[in-house]
Amino acid sequence: MAVQALFLSFHFMLKSKGVSVLNKLLGLLCFCFGLLVMNTYLNLSGLISSIPFFQDISNNSMWFCGPALYLYVIHYGYKTRTNLILLNTLPFLIPASINIFLEWPWFEQIIPFVAYIQISLYLFLALKFLVLNYSSAKQFYNWILPSILVFAVILLTNFVLSILLLAGIEVLPNAVLQSFTTFLALPIFFLAYKEMNAKHDLGIVPEKYRSTYISNEKSSLYLEMIESAMKQDKLFLQPKLTLQSFSQHLNVPPKYVSQTINQNLGISFTEYLIGFRIEEVKSKLMDPNNAHLTIYGMAQDSGFNSASRFNFLFKKHTGYTPKEFQKLHSA
């Protein structure tokens, strides 16, 4: 696991594609947790006593996990800049340096609790931001939020177990407790591997949209208008509906309609439109009151104007031909 973490760290630090700031933050997180995992292994194997300096470095790398997670989460809304990163990381070099280079017994006793408080505060701020902004960027947040929640639960559990151990209550053997700490790395590795396999850089504004940036507020407003026009007004039933005519109905420029759908839902306007039409046909096919209607007639009523294209798209979306789907749901 430690080797994988270090690989991921170098991968993101050297990565040229995607969002540079996010790459660096993910690289920092993977590096910190790679040290944590390696430290646990060396501790349990008894090798750590020969290199205590490494243990100090790995322990104090945790100072930067909270800030890195928080900055990663808020990037979509605030476009994290260098000065913000420095403001949230450089101050923690002070306690880290003191703990590494100076032997102050009293400091070593209180510093773990201060570190727990610090990372808990950053997690709270990250979760608060995620909850408040979730609806405006679901594609970016729909799997980051669970990862942060899992991280918070593991951290809280680890903190409670550590407090109980100090009180003389050994819930888990010390070796198991040390191993449990490495679970903190799992949500971070999930984020990293998810990003490595993402097609659109986690929903972050692609380069083609840099010149037409839409704020979170406007993006949410446009998405509500788009969904209302489709779900309430049912504009998708119009066979000749295009991006241009749809945009005119909303009184929103076509580029913003397309961008809003792409950034929030990860699909094009055409794919979005077809999705509604397919769902409309499915509901008609499942309705026994429509048994007297032809399948293509129902498709036309749902906005399709080509039988061959309808059959192809229906099979692509459902895995069944329209006739197979109708038989399946009329049994």
Side-chain angles (χ1 to χ4, degrees):
M1 188 182 288
V3 174
Q4 289 178 315
L6 294 177
F7 164 77
L8 288 170
S9 174
F10 286 115
H11 167 79
F12 288 115
M13 288 296 183
L14 301 175
K15 187 178 178 183
S16 57
K17 295 183 178 180
V19 182
S20 177
V21 172
L22 291 185
N23 289 337
K24 299 299 185 292
L25 289 172
L26 271 176
L28 174 62
L29 281 168
C30 290
F31 180 75
C32 290
F33 282 99
L35 291 180
L36 171 67
V37 173
M38 190 175 295
N39 177 48
T40 302
Y41 168 75
L42 293 174
N43 241 318
L44 295 176
S45 64
L47 298 174
I48 197 67
S49 57
S50 60
I51 45 176
F53 186 68
F54 174 80
Q55 184 177 27
D56 287 338
I57 293 176
S58 61
N59 286 340
N60 284 280
S61 67
M62 294 300 289
W63 285 109
F64 306 100
C65 294
L69 270 175
Y70 171 68
L71 293 168
Y72 179 83
V73 165
I74 69 170
H75 179 86
Y76 186 89
Y78 289 113
K79 295 295 178 288
T80 312
R81 304 299 182 191
T82 302
N83 59 345
L84 186 61
I85 294 176
L86 295 178
L87 182 64
N88 284 274
T89 54
L90 286 183
F92 300 112
L93 287 174
I94 298 173
S97 300
I98 292 174
N99 195 235
I100 293 172
F101 298 107
L102 300 177
E103 296 183 3
W104 293 350
W106 63 270
F107 190 81
E108 292 182 357
Q109 289 180 353
I110 66 168
I111 206 63
F113 298 99
V114 177
Y116 269 119
I117 293 172
Q118 180 252 27
I119 196 171
S120 297
L121 286 173
Y122 273 108
L123 275 174
F124 171 77
L125 293 173
L127 285 169
K128 181 181 178 182
F129 185 89
L130 279 168
V131 171
L132 292 175
N133 295 275
Y134 185 82
S135 61
S136 65
K138 290 181 181 179
Q139 186 186 358
F140 183 57
Y141 295 139
N142 64 359
W143 50 265
I144 294 177
L145 178 56
S147 300
I148 301 298
L149 284 172
V150 169
F151 186 90
V153 170
I154 296 174
L155 181 73
L156 178 61
T157 305
N158 195 49
F159 179 68
V160 171
L161 292 174
S162 299
I163 292 293
L164 291 174
L165 187 62
L166 284 175
I169 304 173
E170 187 176 300
V171 179
L172 296 173
N174 188 49
V176 177
L177 182 59
Q178 289 184 25
S179 299
F180 183 81
T181 306
T182 60
F183 288 157
L184 288 168
L186 297 180
I188 306 305
F189 291 173
F190 174 76
L191 287 177
Y193 281 113
K194 189 77 174 179
E195 197 281 339
M196 285 182 70
N197 295 293
K199 295 181 179 179
H200 300 293
D201 296 315
L202 312 180
I204 294 298
V205 181
E207 193 64 35
K208 63 180 179 179
Y209 293 139
R210 292 295 183 188
S211 60
T212 57
Y213 172 70
I214 306 176
S215 67
N216 289 338
E217 292 76 15
K218 274 195 172 182
S219 181
S220 295
L221 175 62
Y222 289 160
L223 186 61
E224 287 181 11
M225 294 169 63
I226 291 168
E227 291 183 336
S228 176
M230 288 296 191
K231 295 176 181 178
Q232 274 74 53
D233 301 338
K234 293 186 177 293
L235 292 190
F236 63 88
L237 296 177
Q238 300 177 14
K240 295 184 179 180
L241 185 69
T242 64
L243 174 60
Q244 286 69 29
S245 61
F246 184 73
S247 300
Q248 287 176 357
H249 176 85
L250 298 180
N251 197 26
V252 175
K255 61 181 179 182
Y256 290 138
V257 172
S258 176
Q259 183 174 339
T260 298
I261 294 172
N262 184 264
Q263 288 181 206
N264 286 278
L265 305 176
I267 56 178
S268 67
F269 171 76
T270 301
E271 291 170 317
Y272 183 65
L273 174 61
I274 289 171
F276 277 98
R277 288 175 175 172
I278 293 293
E279 289 302 314
E280 182 72 11
V281 175
K282 285 166 62 178
S283 67
K284 291 181 184 299
L285 290 172
M286 290 187 288
D287 188 349
N289 295 323
N290 294 328
H292 64 289
L293 300 175
T294 65
I295 290 178
Y296 183 54
M298 286 185 271
Q300 285 181 308
D301 290 341
S302 301
F304 289 100
N305 54 16
S306 167
S308 59
R309 179 160 174 75
F310 160 67
N311 289 325
F312 169 77
L313 290 171
F314 193 90
K315 180 70 179 290
K316 178 182 177 182
H317 280 74
T318 66
Y320 300 97
T321 65
K323 192 67 177 178
E324 290 171 342
F325 185 88
Q326 188 179 44
K327 286 182 177 179
L328 182 68
H329 291 85
S330 61

